[in-house]
Amino acid sequence: DYMASRNEEAIKQFRTAPGVGDELDGTVHSIVSFGAFIDVADDVQGLLHESDWMNPPEMGAQVRVRISAVDKEAARMSLVPD
């Protein structure tokens, strides 16, 4: 189905994504109690943990981040402000 193939493509794209230390421009997708999810590519988000920012970003804000950790098997990316 369409959503499954889209999800598979996003995971494939994630697994070939930039690595630890790389800088990316992104958009704040959502803010949760423990941080903010940042869109860094089509259907790819990373987590900017609340302990890593001095001032919380606003929804929709453009941010510059650096990848601090990647778990390609779980399709997770941790980000820090750049």
Side-chain angles (χ1 to χ4, degrees):
D1 90 352
Y2 173 75
M3 289 307 289
S5 64
R6 212 175 133 86
N7 189 38
E8 287 174 19
E9 184 58 35
I11 291 171
K12 183 178 179 181
Q13 180 182 1
F14 176 84
R15 290 195 171 130
T16 60
V20 172
D22 288 345
E23 297 174 357
L24 303 169
D25 291 315
T27 304
V28 178
H29 175 81
S30 62
I31 298 174
V32 293
S33 62
F34 52 86
F37 286 98
I38 311 296
D39 288 329
V40 293
D42 290 338
D43 295 322
V44 177
Q45 295 178 350
L47 174 65
L48 177 60
H49 195 271
E50 57 93 19
S51 65
D52 292 324
W53 67 47
M54 293 179 69
N55 298 312
E58 295 181 17
M59 281 289 298
Q62 297 294 310
V63 294
R64 182 95 172 142
V65 293
R66 186 170 27 88
I67 300 172
S68 61
V70 174
D71 180 343
K72 290 187 178 188
E73 290 306 311
R76 293 183 180 170
M77 182 184 305
S78 297
L79 306 170
V80 293
D82 186 49

